Amino acid sequence: GCFSGNPNLGQGKLLPTSYADAKKICEDEGHTLCTDLTAITEFKKCGCSYNKFPIWTDIPCPPPPPSIPPPSAPTVRGVDISPPPPSQPPMPPVPPSLPPAFPHTGVLVVDGGNPTTHKLACVATNSSQTSLKSKPTLPIAAQCCEEGECRRCDNAQCNAVLGCLAGRYGFEEVTPTTYDEAERLCTRNGYTLCEKSCAGAGCGYDSLPVWTGIGCDPGTED
């Protein structure tokens, strides 16, 4: 006759109930869920071995304690003097973008004395070539540019014997350079390879083929 079964009889299990289930069981029997502690204490003497189990009641839960308002910010004559919030860590610097990859596998070698940038050959950038097959006795001269201005020497005395980047042709031996060596020479001086012949810029290179930074696809020489 126990409403939820007797754990000491049969299979020894209680019938689990929700609050709504328990309330309906009581109402079906003409009862109500207990609403005072005295009744609950008396219920412990009523058998069914429920003393060791939690039981449903109709006693409402106490309301939660009132929330404590946050302390007001300190002020002086109405001005908030509370400490500033912690600052956010600075954003990491944006890494510099890499320069675009050189879109060609070769560069033009041009006539150093021709102002129209006359092409003599297209040489692979990974080549060890320092002269042209058509002009085997003439080294390809390294010359550089700074913001479009030709720099065949590392100082202002381009008409002097000394100071030319690869040596002054006709006065001293001109150092032969590959494309990689010419590019490194310009970079070391803060320059870049030129995209023109630089005819008339001195150092005797008007009589030589010169390296440029003009891209091309290697093929047969003109």
Side-chain angles (χ1 to χ4, degrees), residues 103-108 119 121-124 214-220:
H104 301 282
T105 57
V107 292
L108 290 184
K119 169 188 172 183
C122 178
V123 180
I214 304 171
C216 62
D217 296 318
T220 58

Side-chain angles (χ1 to χ4, degrees), residues 6-218:
N6 191 324
N8 294 328
L9 298 177
Q11 295 182 353
K13 294 182 179 179
L14 288 180
L15 175 66
T17 58
S18 65
Y19 167 77
D21 293 336
K23 188 176 183 67
K24 187 175 186 307
I25 289 172
C26 290
E27 290 175 350
D28 289 347
E29 295 293 331
H31 307 308
T32 60
L33 287 171
C34 299
T35 58
D36 61 76
L37 295 177
T38 302
I40 294 173
T41 303
E42 292 298 325
F43 179 74
K44 291 183 178 180
K45 303 176 183 180
C46 294
C48 290
S49 301
Y50 292 173
N51 294 358
K52 297 180 180 179
F53 296 93
I55 57 173
W56 288 108
T57 74
D58 239 354
I59 302 174
C61 299
S67 59
I68 301 175
S72 57
T75 60
V76 172
R77 301 178 70 85
V79 178
D80 186 355
I81 61 169
S82 57
S87 59
Q88 295 293 326
M91 295 293 291
V94 177
S97 58
L98 296 176
F102 192 63
H104 301 282
T105 57
V107 292
L108 290 184
V109 174
V110 302
D111 182 349
N114 192 323
T116 63
T117 310
H118 175 64
K119 169 188 172 183
L120 297 178
C122 178
V123 180
T125 55
N126 61 355
S127 172
S128 60
Q129 192 171 336
T130 59
S131 63
L132 301 181
K133 294 178 182 179
S134 60
K135 303 177 184 290
T137 61
L138 297 179
I140 305 173
Q143 62 177 17
C144 311
C145 278
E146 181 182 23
E147 297 181 352
E149 295 295 325
C150 296
R151 297 286 184 266
R152 286 182 172 178
C153 52
D154 56 8
N155 56 44
Q157 304 301 320
C158 281
N159 292 323
V161 174
L162 300 178
C164 294
L165 291 174
R168 180 173 176 79
Y169 183 65
F171 289 86
E172 59 181 331
E173 183 179 357
V174 172
T175 304
T177 55
T178 65
Y179 164 77
D180 278 342
E181 291 168 341
E183 184 182 43
R184 286 196 297 270
L185 178 64
C186 291
T187 301
R188 184 189 67 192
N189 285 281
Y191 306 143
T192 60
L193 285 170
C194 301
E195 296 193 359
K196 55 187 175 181
S197 69
C198 290
C203 290
Y205 295 170
D206 285 7
S207 301
L208 298 176
V210 293
W211 288 110
T212 73
I214 304 171
C216 62
D217 296 318

